[in-house]
Amino acid sequence: MERLGLRKPIRAHLARQGRVPAFAVHRDARQLARRAWRWLKSIDDGADSLHITVVSTVQRITEYRSIGAFGLIVLDDEHINALGWMQSLRFSDELPIFVQTELMLRAAERCLEQSRWREAAAICQRAHWDLHRHAELGRSFPAIDRPQRILVNRSDDGELGLDLQARHAIPIAAHFVVGHEIGHHVVRSSDRAAQLRATANTIVHKHLWEGLEGTYSQLHAIVKPSSEYTIGPAGEYLKSASRGTQLLPALARIEFAATEELVADLHGLLFATAFCLENQVPPGALVQTLLQVFEDLLMNQLVRIIADNTPASGTGGAADFPYGRYAYRASALPGLIAATLAGTFALSSQAINEFRRYWQSDEAQAALDQGVEQATMRSRLFDQVDILARGGFVHAVMTEVPAMPPYPAFVATLPPQMQGTQIWVYAPFTVPKAYYGEDAVFVRDQARLPHVYRGFATACQKIAAAVWSPDAVFETFGNQYLPMTDERSLASRFEMARHPRLDVVQRMSSFDEIRFDDRGQA
């Protein structure tokens, strides 16, 4: 998988990225890499020019890069673990505080990557204070009480349906992510690349251009503008702007990017299918897991956007929220399965036969029919996730959130399909402030907002508040994490940032006693 002659350029690539080691790589990650390479070799001619290196870094990014005539997949074990953690949240019910804590720490680590020490320290300070507060409210202090309920349901054949999906969700997600990166390699190296790209482009083109005539709902999943919010130095709302007027000139670029992602998703689907066929995982579990993977990727992207783009108090500025097209990728999944079954894609006979063995059954057809409905519902839910994140931002930094800014006059002159993309920018102003209440993370409220979404929403709000004004966080919630801003190694700073996570694992609050030495040890 990795030739000796490429070790030096691979190390140079990782060094340029500034990747910070996290933990030892698990054996499962290395086995996944070997399995992926062997799988590609069995279905395509691009394996000999592909190299997969396995790392464990705090960046949590699995990616594909070209190095000369070769392709490199950097498989990050921590990325797989992070996706696994997100998947596990779907099969239990617990307090939102634990979802919030993990997402906030990921944002803090993101700030550390960029040498933004005060913002990282403020995020950790607030996350750790909330854990301390939870222990006090639960009357378990200093112990951190973490009650969990495992969610199960029974399928028609008597098996535990959710339990069955839960057992396989993490490896399905891992296979899909690695297969997706293999797809990026195939589209650049395979003899079938042009045919694969042409077929995927036909699907995207239909959704995009016929959607402009009002015949396809996928238009709204693939075309939405970036949103921009301009805040004054004191947190006063100045204006909102969308990039909607730039969408029409950019449609060709959007179409090209969506085509590339669809080919990559096809290979993610093929590799995940191969795993499910080998392990007798029902098609329904595969479809549901992949839809959840797209949502998890969206949540992680939004957390990073807020950490990156929130302006600073005292100077203000514009915060840009690029639109991620995970909703489109989810809505396109059933069509991708149907097109592969029909032999539309230029794949090897082995890949198609393996795919058909899994998907050509009554059970698979039922799962696919349900998947169409689920994909449509999920793509709408993705929009709500995006709006929750932007709502957290506006409630965190604006001194007064306007009830609803007036729409620009030109919106009324646009076709109905494009009006929706323009109005998109104003959606966060409609999110109730109660969703981000100070005590919202300490109680279960599944009826109003399930724990995953509540923890995500409050994490976005508190990340934005900490980045906007770190000093306000230190003044209100303590300064135990200020040593993170001192002269010390990057590794010790990351060690300090992990401390709230260790409290969760050990279920014991150390907030009152925490003092860090020069190595970042408490």
Side-chain angles (χ1 to χ4, degrees), residues 332-367:
L333 185 63
L336 205 57
I337 296 172
T340 308
L341 283 173
T344 307
F345 284 101
L347 298 168
S348 68
S349 58
Q350 178 173 337
I352 292 178
N353 291 337
E354 187 176 69
F355 195 84
R356 285 174 175 168
R357 278 209 317 274
Y358 183 79
W359 286 103
Q360 283 186 335
S361 68
D362 292 341
E363 181 185 10
Q365 187 57 53

Short mmCIF file of all heavy atoms in Angstrom, two decimals, residues 332-367:
data_model
loop_
_atom_site.label_atom_id
_atom_site.label_comp_id
_atom_site.label_asym_id
_atom_site.label_seq_id
_atom_site.Cartn_x
_atom_site.Cartn_y
_atom_site.Cartn_z
N ALA A 332 -29.68 12.21 -3.10
CA ALA A 332 -29.28 11.52 -4.32
C ALA A 332 -28.96 10.05 -4.09
O ALA A 332 -28.83 9.29 -5.05
CB ALA A 332 -28.07 12.21 -4.94
N LEU A 333 -28.85 9.63 -2.82
CA LEU A 333 -28.40 8.27 -2.51
C LEU A 333 -29.31 7.19 -3.11
O LEU A 333 -28.81 6.26 -3.75
CB LEU A 333 -28.29 8.10 -0.99
CG LEU A 333 -27.72 6.78 -0.50
CD1 LEU A 333 -26.28 6.59 -0.98
CD2 LEU A 333 -27.78 6.71 1.03
N PRO A 334 -30.64 7.24 -2.94
CA PRO A 334 -31.48 6.20 -3.54
C PRO A 334 -31.35 6.13 -5.06
O PRO A 334 -31.33 5.04 -5.64
CB PRO A 334 -32.90 6.61 -3.11
CG PRO A 334 -32.72 7.41 -1.88
CD PRO A 334 -31.46 8.17 -2.11
N GLY A 335 -31.26 7.28 -5.71
CA GLY A 335 -31.08 7.29 -7.16
C GLY A 335 -29.74 6.70 -7.57
O GLY A 335 -29.62 6.06 -8.62
N LEU A 336 -28.74 6.90 -6.73
CA LEU A 336 -27.42 6.33 -7.00
C LEU A 336 -27.48 4.80 -6.96
O LEU A 336 -26.90 4.12 -7.80
CB LEU A 336 -26.44 6.85 -5.95
CG LEU A 336 -24.95 6.91 -6.30
CD1 LEU A 336 -24.70 7.75 -7.54
CD2 LEU A 336 -24.18 7.48 -5.11
N ILE A 337 -28.22 4.28 -6.00
CA ILE A 337 -28.39 2.82 -5.89
C ILE A 337 -29.13 2.28 -7.11
O ILE A 337 -28.73 1.28 -7.72
CB ILE A 337 -29.14 2.47 -4.59
CG1 ILE A 337 -28.31 2.86 -3.36
CG2 ILE A 337 -29.47 0.97 -4.54
CD1 ILE A 337 -29.05 2.73 -2.05
N ALA A 338 -30.23 2.96 -7.47
CA ALA A 338 -31.03 2.50 -8.61
C ALA A 338 -30.22 2.53 -9.91
O ALA A 338 -30.29 1.61 -10.73
CB ALA A 338 -32.28 3.37 -8.74
N ALA A 339 -29.43 3.59 -10.11
CA ALA A 339 -28.63 3.71 -11.33
C ALA A 339 -27.55 2.63 -11.39
O ALA A 339 -27.26 2.08 -12.46
CB ALA A 339 -27.99 5.09 -11.40
N THR A 340 -26.99 2.28 -10.26
CA THR A 340 -25.97 1.23 -10.23
C THR A 340 -26.59 -0.12 -10.52
O THR A 340 -26.03 -0.94 -11.26
CB THR A 340 -25.26 1.21 -8.86
OG1 THR A 340 -24.80 2.52 -8.55
CG2 THR A 340 -24.09 0.26 -8.86
N LEU A 341 -27.76 -0.39 -9.96
CA LEU A 341 -28.47 -1.64 -10.23
C LEU A 341 -28.80 -1.78 -11.72
O LEU A 341 -28.76 -2.87 -12.28
CB LEU A 341 -29.75 -1.73 -9.40
CG LEU A 341 -29.60 -2.09 -7.92
CD1 LEU A 341 -30.93 -1.96 -7.20
CD2 LEU A 341 -29.06 -3.51 -7.78
N ALA A 342 -29.13 -0.66 -12.34
CA ALA A 342 -29.50 -0.68 -13.76
C ALA A 342 -28.29 -0.80 -14.67
O ALA A 342 -28.45 -0.91 -15.90
CB ALA A 342 -30.28 0.59 -14.09
N GLY A 343 -27.09 -0.77 -14.11
CA GLY A 343 -25.90 -0.88 -14.93
C GLY A 343 -25.53 0.39 -15.64
O GLY A 343 -24.79 0.37 -16.63
N THR A 344 -26.04 1.52 -15.16
CA THR A 344 -25.79 2.79 -15.83
C THR A 344 -24.34 3.23 -15.70
O THR A 344 -23.77 3.81 -16.62
CB THR A 344 -26.72 3.88 -15.25
OG1 THR A 344 -28.07 3.42 -15.31
CG2 THR A 344 -26.59 5.18 -16.00
N PHE A 345 -23.74 2.95 -14.54
CA PHE A 345 -22.35 3.36 -14.32
C PHE A 345 -21.38 2.36 -14.94
O PHE A 345 -21.63 1.15 -14.92
CB PHE A 345 -22.07 3.50 -12.82
CG PHE A 345 -22.63 4.75 -12.21
CD1 PHE A 345 -23.81 4.71 -11.48
CD2 PHE A 345 -21.98 5.96 -12.35
CE1 PHE A 345 -24.32 5.85 -10.90
CE2 PHE A 345 -22.49 7.12 -11.79
CZ PHE A 345 -23.66 7.07 -11.06
N ALA A 346 -20.28 2.86 -15.45
CA ALA A 346 -19.25 2.02 -16.07
C ALA A 346 -18.38 1.41 -14.98
O ALA A 346 -17.31 1.91 -14.64
CB ALA A 346 -18.40 2.85 -17.03
N LEU A 347 -18.86 0.32 -14.41
CA LEU A 347 -18.13 -0.38 -13.36
C LEU A 347 -17.73 -1.76 -13.85
O LEU A 347 -18.31 -2.29 -14.81
CB LEU A 347 -19.01 -0.51 -12.11
CG LEU A 347 -19.45 0.80 -11.44
CD1 LEU A 347 -20.54 0.53 -10.42
CD2 LEU A 347 -18.25 1.50 -10.78
N SER A 348 -16.78 -2.37 -13.19
CA SER A 348 -16.37 -3.72 -13.56
C SER A 348 -17.51 -4.69 -13.29
O SER A 348 -18.38 -4.45 -12.45
CB SER A 348 -15.13 -4.13 -12.76
OG SER A 348 -15.46 -4.28 -11.38
N SER A 349 -17.50 -5.81 -14.01
CA SER A 349 -18.56 -6.81 -13.82
C SER A 349 -18.57 -7.33 -12.39
O SER A 349 -19.63 -7.60 -11.82
CB SER A 349 -18.37 -7.96 -14.81
OG SER A 349 -17.10 -8.56 -14.63
N GLN A 350 -17.40 -7.45 -11.76
CA GLN A 350 -17.35 -7.93 -10.39
C GLN A 350 -18.04 -6.96 -9.44
O GLN A 350 -18.79 -7.36 -8.56
CB GLN A 350 -15.91 -8.15 -9.92
CG GLN A 350 -15.81 -8.62 -8.48
CD GLN A 350 -14.40 -8.98 -8.08
OE1 GLN A 350 -13.58 -9.31 -8.92
NE2 GLN A 350 -14.12 -8.96 -6.78
N ALA A 351 -17.78 -5.66 -9.62
CA ALA A 351 -18.41 -4.66 -8.76
C ALA A 351 -19.92 -4.66 -8.92
O ALA A 351 -20.67 -4.61 -7.93
CB ALA A 351 -17.84 -3.28 -9.07
N ILE A 352 -20.41 -4.75 -10.16
CA ILE A 352 -21.86 -4.73 -10.40
C ILE A 352 -22.51 -6.00 -9.87
O ILE A 352 -23.58 -5.95 -9.23
CB ILE A 352 -22.15 -4.55 -11.91
CG1 ILE A 352 -21.72 -3.15 -12.36
CG2 ILE A 352 -23.63 -4.77 -12.19
CD1 ILE A 352 -21.91 -2.89 -13.83
N ASN A 353 -21.89 -7.15 -10.12
CA ASN A 353 -22.46 -8.41 -9.65
C ASN A 353 -22.54 -8.46 -8.13
O ASN A 353 -23.54 -8.91 -7.55
CB ASN A 353 -21.65 -9.59 -10.16
CG ASN A 353 -21.77 -9.77 -11.66
OD1 ASN A 353 -22.76 -9.32 -12.27
ND2 ASN A 353 -20.79 -10.41 -12.28
N GLU A 354 -21.49 -7.97 -7.47
CA GLU A 354 -21.48 -7.93 -6.00
C GLU A 354 -22.58 -7.01 -5.50
O GLU A 354 -23.29 -7.32 -4.53
CB GLU A 354 -20.11 -7.44 -5.52
CG GLU A 354 -19.89 -7.50 -4.03
CD GLU A 354 -18.48 -7.09 -3.66
OE1 GLU A 354 -18.16 -5.89 -3.80
OE2 GLU A 354 -17.68 -7.96 -3.25
N PHE A 355 -22.74 -5.87 -6.15
CA PHE A 355 -23.76 -4.90 -5.76
C PHE A 355 -25.16 -5.48 -5.94
O PHE A 355 -26.03 -5.34 -5.08
CB PHE A 355 -23.59 -3.64 -6.61
CG PHE A 355 -24.33 -2.44 -6.09
CD1 PHE A 355 -23.78 -1.64 -5.10
CD2 PHE A 355 -25.59 -2.10 -6.59
CE1 PHE A 355 -24.46 -0.52 -4.62
CE2 PHE A 355 -26.27 -1.00 -6.12
CZ PHE A 355 -25.71 -0.20 -5.13
N ARG A 356 -25.38 -6.14 -7.06
CA ARG A 356 -26.70 -6.70 -7.34
C ARG A 356 -27.04 -7.84 -6.40
O ARG A 356 -28.21 -8.02 -6.03
CB ARG A 356 -26.77 -7.16 -8.79
CG ARG A 356 -26.90 -6.01 -9.77
CD ARG A 356 -26.83 -6.47 -11.21
NE ARG A 356 -27.07 -5.37 -12.14
CZ ARG A 356 -26.85 -5.42 -13.44
NH1 ARG A 356 -26.35 -6.54 -13.98
NH2 ARG A 356 -27.11 -4.38 -14.22
N ARG A 357 -26.06 -8.63 -6.00
CA ARG A 357 -26.32 -9.73 -5.06
C ARG A 357 -26.90 -9.20 -3.76
O ARG A 357 -27.71 -9.85 -3.12
CB ARG A 357 -25.03 -10.49 -4.76
CG ARG A 357 -24.66 -11.51 -5.79
CD ARG A 357 -23.88 -12.70 -5.23
NE ARG A 357 -22.85 -12.35 -4.28
CZ ARG A 357 -21.60 -12.01 -4.61
NH1 ARG A 357 -21.26 -11.91 -5.89
NH2 ARG A 357 -20.71 -11.75 -3.68
N TYR A 358 -26.46 -8.02 -3.40
CA TYR A 358 -26.92 -7.44 -2.14
C TYR A 358 -28.25 -6.72 -2.29
O TYR A 358 -29.13 -6.83 -1.43
CB TYR A 358 -25.86 -6.45 -1.61
CG TYR A 358 -26.21 -5.84 -0.26
CD1 TYR A 358 -26.02 -6.56 0.90
CD2 TYR A 358 -26.72 -4.55 -0.18
CE1 TYR A 358 -26.33 -6.01 2.14
CE2 TYR A 358 -27.04 -3.99 1.05
CZ TYR A 358 -26.84 -4.72 2.21
OH TYR A 358 -27.15 -4.16 3.43
N TRP A 359 -28.41 -5.98 -3.39
CA TRP A 359 -29.55 -5.08 -3.52
C TRP A 359 -30.73 -5.66 -4.28
O TRP A 359 -31.83 -5.08 -4.23
CB TRP A 359 -29.11 -3.77 -4.20
CG TRP A 359 -28.31 -2.90 -3.29
CD1 TRP A 359 -26.96 -2.72 -3.30
CD2 TRP A 359 -28.80 -2.09 -2.22
NE1 TRP A 359 -26.58 -1.87 -2.30
CE2 TRP A 359 -27.70 -1.45 -1.62
CE3 TRP A 359 -30.08 -1.84 -1.70
CZ2 TRP A 359 -27.82 -0.58 -0.54
CZ3 TRP A 359 -30.20 -0.98 -0.62
CH2 TRP A 359 -29.09 -0.36 -0.05
N GLN A 360 -30.60 -6.75 -4.98
CA GLN A 360 -31.72 -7.32 -5.74
C GLN A 360 -32.44 -8.38 -4.90
O GLN A 360 -32.27 -9.57 -5.08
CB GLN A 360 -31.24 -7.90 -7.06
CG GLN A 360 -30.95 -6.83 -8.10
CD GLN A 360 -30.61 -7.42 -9.46
OE1 GLN A 360 -30.15 -8.55 -9.58
NE2 GLN A 360 -30.83 -6.63 -10.52
N SER A 361 -33.23 -7.90 -3.95
CA SER A 361 -34.06 -8.77 -3.12
C SER A 361 -35.26 -7.97 -2.68
O SER A 361 -35.28 -6.73 -2.75
CB SER A 361 -33.28 -9.28 -1.90
OG SER A 361 -33.02 -8.21 -1.01
N ASP A 362 -36.29 -8.66 -2.24
CA ASP A 362 -37.50 -7.96 -1.78
C ASP A 362 -37.17 -7.07 -0.58
O ASP A 362 -37.69 -5.95 -0.46
CB ASP A 362 -38.58 -8.97 -1.41
CG ASP A 362 -39.12 -9.72 -2.63
OD1 ASP A 362 -38.93 -9.21 -3.76
OD2 ASP A 362 -39.70 -10.80 -2.45
N GLU A 363 -36.32 -7.58 0.31
CA GLU A 363 -35.95 -6.80 1.49
C GLU A 363 -35.20 -5.53 1.09
O GLU A 363 -35.45 -4.44 1.63
CB GLU A 363 -35.08 -7.64 2.42
CG GLU A 363 -34.67 -6.91 3.69
CD GLU A 363 -33.71 -7.72 4.55
OE1 GLU A 363 -33.21 -8.76 4.07
OE2 GLU A 363 -33.44 -7.29 5.70
N ALA A 364 -34.29 -5.68 0.12
CA ALA A 364 -33.52 -4.52 -0.33
C ALA A 364 -34.42 -3.51 -1.03
O ALA A 364 -34.26 -2.29 -0.86
CB ALA A 364 -32.41 -4.97 -1.27
N GLN A 365 -35.39 -3.99 -1.81
CA GLN A 365 -36.30 -3.07 -2.50
C GLN A 365 -37.15 -2.31 -1.50
O GLN A 365 -37.39 -1.11 -1.66
CB GLN A 365 -37.19 -3.86 -3.46
CG GLN A 365 -38.05 -2.96 -4.35
CD GLN A 365 -37.23 -1.98 -5.18
OE1 GLN A 365 -36.32 -2.37 -5.88
NE2 GLN A 365 -37.56 -0.69 -5.08
N ALA A 366 -37.59 -2.99 -0.45
CA ALA A 366 -38.38 -2.32 0.59
C ALA A 366 -37.54 -1.26 1.29
O ALA A 366 -38.01 -0.15 1.57
CB ALA A 366 -38.90 -3.34 1.60
N ALA A 367 -36.27 -1.60 1.56
CA ALA A 367 -35.37 -0.64 2.20
C ALA A 367 -35.12 0.55 1.29
O ALA A 367 -35.03 1.70 1.74
CB ALA A 367 -34.05 -1.32 2.57
#
